[in-house]
C-alpha cells in the first residue's frame, strides 16, 4: 500500500512522546459507477459484463415500521427542496472523488461487481467533522435534510471523544431499481469530534483552521462534491501534533468533509457473497487487507447487524511548509442486515429493506473507526 511505511514512521515517532496515541480528480463517464483499476489484479473469478440500471422505478413501499424504525414519522413525505436528479448527481461526484483517491475501494467494487451479478447497492455513506462553531454534524447534514432525509439516532463514543447521528432516506427511495448512486439511496452516518474534550494545544490548532475557514461550514456538501478543504492547507507540524492525540482529528484536518467511507449492502447481492463471511473470504483471497480490530467481523449484540471493512488507503498530502507526506485516506465497508424477528416468516421475494435490522451499533462503529488508524494500516496482509 502506497505510503503505509511513511505513516508508520510518523506514528511510531509519536509514540516516543508522553502523549498517548488513540490515534485530483480524473473525470469518469457518467454511466460508470465503478472504476476499472483492477485490470492489473489477479482476481479469483471470471469477468462478468453487467448492464447499468438507469431507471429509478419505484417499488412498492412496505409502509410499516419495526422496532428499529419506531421513531420515524411515517406520515406523508414532505416536499423535497432539492430535485432528485440534482441530489443524485451530487452523490455521484462524492463517489467519484472518493474512488479516484482510494484505489482499494475502487478495485473491490469492481471485484464484487464482476463476481456477483446482482445489483450492487450502498448501505450508507459516512463523513467526519469537527464540533466547533457549526462545523460539525449539522453542517454536513443540512444538504441531506433538505432533500428529505430524516434524523434518527445518536451514538456516543466517550473514549474517542466522538458523537454521531445517522439519517434515513425518504422511504420511497429505500427500495428502488438501479445500483450504486443510481439505486436505493444510502443511509447517512455523520460523526463529529468533541473538540472541547481535547488538550488546549489540540483545540487551538483545530480552532485556528476553523477560524481561517470563515463561513466554510455553509459549503460542507460542496467541499465533499469537489474534494476540497474549506480551510487553508495545514502545516505538517500541526498534523503531527494532532496524530499524537487523536488520529480522527488528524484525518479530518487533511481530508475535511470528504467521504470517509461508503458501504456495500451485502444482503442485496445475489450470489453466495450475499453472506458477509463469504464476501470477506473473497476479499482476503484477493490480497486486500481487512480491519482486524475486534475481529474481522463486527456483530451487534442482537446478531442482526454484521459489518467489516478494509483498512484505509494512503495518499500523498502536500502540506503548506512544502513537504509531502503519506496520510490515511479512506476505506470501504460491508454491511449485512438480517431480517427483523417480526418479519422472519415473510417469503424471500417479499422482504424489503424496511423489514431488516435498521440503524447502527456503537460497538461495531467503534471498531470500524479504527480503519484509518496507523496500527491497522501498518499491519501486513494475512
Amino acid at each position: 500500500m502506497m505510503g503505509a511505511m511513511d505513516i508508520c514512521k510518523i506514528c511510531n515517532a509519536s509514540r516516543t512522546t508522553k502523549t498517548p496515541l488513540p490515534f485530483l480528480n480524473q473525470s469518469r463517464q457518467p454511466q460508470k459507477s465503478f472504476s476499472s483499476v483492477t485490470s492489473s489484479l489477479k482476481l479469483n473469478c471470471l469477468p462478468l459484463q453487467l448492464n447499468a440500471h438507469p431507471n429509478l422505478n419505484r417499488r412498492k413501499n412496505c409502509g410499516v415500521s419495526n422496532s428499529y424504525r419506531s421513531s420515524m414519522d411515517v406520515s406523508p413525505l414532505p416536499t423535497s427542496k432539492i430535485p432528485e436528479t440534482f441530489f443524485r448527481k451530487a452523490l455521484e461526484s462524492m463517489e467519484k472523488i472518493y474512488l479516484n483517491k482510494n484505489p482499494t475501494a475502487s478495485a473491490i467494487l469492481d471485484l464484487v461487481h464482476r463476481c456477483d451479478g446482482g445489483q450492487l447497492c450502498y448501505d450508507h455513506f459516512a463523513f467526519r467533522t469537527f464540533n466547533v462553531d457549526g462545523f460539525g454534524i449539522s453542517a454536513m447534514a443540512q444538504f441531506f435534510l433538505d432533500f428529505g432525509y430524516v434524523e434518527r439516532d445518536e451514538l456516543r463514543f466517550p473514549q474517542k471523544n466522538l458523537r454521531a447521528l445517522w439519517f434515513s432516506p425518504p422511504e420511497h427511495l429505500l427500495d428502488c431499481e438501479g445500483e450504486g448512486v443510481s439505486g436505493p439511496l444510502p443511509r447517512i452516518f455523520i460523526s463529529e469530534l468533541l473538540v472541547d474534550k481535547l488538550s488546549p494545544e489540540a483545540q487551538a490548532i483545530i480552532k485556528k483552521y476553523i477560524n481561517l475557514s470563515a463561513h466554510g461550514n455553509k459549503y460542507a456538501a460542496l467541499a465533499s462534491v469537489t474534494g476540497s478543504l474549506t480551510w487553508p492547507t495545514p502545516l505538517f507540524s500541526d498534523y503531527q501534533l494532532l496524530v499524537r492525540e487523536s488520529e480522527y482529528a488528524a484525518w479530518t484536518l487533511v481530508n475535511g468533509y470528504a467521504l470517509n467511507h461508503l458501504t456495500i449492502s451485502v444482503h442485496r447481492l445475489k450470489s453466495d457473497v450475499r453472506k458477509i463471511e463469504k464476501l470477506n473470504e473473497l476479499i482476503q483471497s484477493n490480497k486486500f487487507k481487512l480491519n482486524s480490530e475486534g475481529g474481522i467481523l463486527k456483530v451487534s449484540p442482537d446478531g442482526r447487524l454484521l459489518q467489516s471493512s478494509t483498512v484505509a488507503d494512503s495518499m500523498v498530502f502536500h502540506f503548506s511548509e512544502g513537504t509531502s507526506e503519506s496520510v490515511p485516506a479512506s476505506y470501504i465497508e460491508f454491511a449485512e442486515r438480517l431480517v427483523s424477528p417480526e418479519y422472519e416468516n415473510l417469503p424471500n421475494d417479499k422482504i424489503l429493506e424496511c423489514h431488516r435490522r435498521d440503524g447502527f451499533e456503537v460497538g461495531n462503529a467503534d471498531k470500524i473507526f479504527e480503519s484509518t488508524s496507523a496500527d491497522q494500516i501498518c499491519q501486513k496482509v494475512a
Side-chain angles (χ1 to χ4, degrees):
M1 181 179 297
M2 180 192 71
M5 292 305 297
D6 296 327
I7 293 176
C8 297
K9 289 177 182 177
I10 293 170
C11 295
N12 287 337
S14 72
R15 291 188 175 92
T16 63
T17 69
K18 294 183 180 180
T19 308
L21 176 65
F23 167 50
L24 155 157
N25 306 331
Q26 300 174 356
S27 61
R28 296 163 61 229
Q29 297 301 317
Q31 293 295 325
K32 295 180 181 178
S33 298
F34 310 108
S35 75
S36 57
V37 300
T38 50
S39 58
S40 62
L41 296 175
K42 294 181 179 179
L43 305 178
N44 296 335
C45 63
L46 295 175
L48 176 63
Q49 185 67 39
L50 294 180
N51 294 321
H53 298 283
N55 297 325
L56 302 175
N57 299 324
R58 177 176 173 175
R59 290 184 184 174
K60 183 179 179 181
N61 179 23
C62 67
V64 293
S65 60
N66 58 36
S67 58
Y68 298 104
R69 300 175 67 83
S70 59
S71 63
M72 174 171 283
D73 181 1
V74 293
S75 57
L77 293 168
T79 301
S80 171
K81 301 177 184 177
I82 300 176
E84 184 178 334
T85 52
F86 176 84
F87 181 80
R88 288 187 183 273
K89 280 292 184 183
L91 293 188
E92 182 182 2
S93 295
M94 293 177 186
E95 176 198 44
K96 181 173 69 174
I97 296 292
Y98 163 87
L99 293 177
N100 284 340
K101 289 170 60 177
N102 299 282
T104 293
S106 186
I108 287 177
L109 285 174
D110 280 347
L111 170 64
V112 177
H113 204 223
R114 285 185 283 175
C115 292
D116 179 68
Q119 63 174 6
L120 204 165
C121 302
Y122 295 144
D123 180 87
H124 65 273
F125 281 14
F127 304 88
R128 294 181 177 184
T129 68
F130 291 129
N131 181 14
V132 177
D133 297 336
F135 278 75
I137 292 173
S138 60
M140 193 67 213
Q142 192 58 57
F143 176 68
F144 298 97
L145 292 171
D146 284 347
F147 180 69
Y149 273 71
V150 177
E151 180 182 320
R152 299 296 299 280
D153 304 317
E154 179 187 71
L155 296 87
R156 291 273 180 172
F157 308 86
Q159 292 186 336
K160 287 183 168 64
N161 297 317
L162 301 177
R163 169 181 175 264
L165 288 174
W166 75 273
F167 303 79
S168 57
E171 285 201 21
H172 69 291
L173 295 174
L174 193 58
D175 280 284
C176 59
E177 294 298 324
E179 62 177 359
V181 295
S182 297
L185 287 182
R187 300 163 182 82
I188 300 299
F189 183 96
I190 310 175
S191 57
E192 62 184 11
L193 180 67
L194 304 178
V195 176
D196 61 353
K197 302 293 185 182
L198 303 183
S199 68
E201 293 79 11
Q203 289 188 49
I205 288 173
I206 293 169
K207 290 178 180 179
K208 175 179 70 174
Y209 290 99
I210 294 299
N211 290 336
L212 290 171
S213 182
H215 300 294
N217 57 323
K218 295 180 180 179
Y219 311 107
L222 181 60
S224 185
V225 165
T226 60
S228 305
L229 296 174
T230 63
W231 46 76
T233 303
L235 291 163
F236 182 53
S237 56
D238 288 341
Y239 175 81
Q240 285 179 303
L241 189 148
L242 291 185
V243 165
R244 293 195 290 268
E245 185 164 344
S246 167
E247 288 182 295
Y248 181 107
W251 189 95
T252 307
L253 183 69
V254 296
N255 287 279
Y257 292 109
L259 183 58
N260 175 257
H261 67 270
L262 56 74
T263 302
I264 292 177
S265 183
V266 177
H267 54 270
R268 292 185 192 260
L269 299 173
K270 299 301 181 186
S271 67
D272 62 346
V273 297
R274 70 192 307 271
K275 304 305 293 182
I276 196 168
E277 294 91 342
K278 291 291 186 180
L279 179 59
N280 288 341
E281 290 175 6
L282 173 67
I283 290 167
Q284 290 182 301
S285 70
N286 281 280
K287 306 304 180 183
F288 294 110
K289 186 164 45 173
L290 293 178
N291 172 357
S292 61
E293 182 70 22
I296 295 295
L297 186 62
K298 287 72 170 161
V299 183
S300 61
D302 63 9
R304 295 180 183 274
L305 175 60
L306 298 85
Q307 295 167 274
S308 60
S309 63
T310 65
V311 302
D313 278 333
S314 300
M315 66 179 183
V316 175
F317 188 87
H318 304 290
F319 289 92
S320 60
E321 298 100 324
T323 183
S324 298
E325 303 287 346
S326 290
V327 301
S330 301
Y331 57 95
I332 187 168
E333 185 188 324
F334 321 99
E336 180 183 356
R337 297 179 182 273
L338 303 186
V339 177
S340 296
E342 58 266 44
Y343 304 120
E344 286 182 333
N345 293 328
L346 283 177
N348 288 338
D349 62 348
K350 300 297 183 182
I351 294 174
L352 301 176
E353 192 71 5
C354 61
H355 297 128
R356 296 181 179 275
R357 205 283 196 189
D358 209 353
F360 294 85
E361 187 65 41
V362 167
N364 287 18
D366 183 72
K367 303 300 186 294
I368 296 291
F369 276 125
E370 295 299 316
S371 296
T372 56
S373 73
D375 286 344
Q376 288 296 315
I377 291 173
C378 295
Q379 284 186 8
K380 295 182 179 180
V381 178

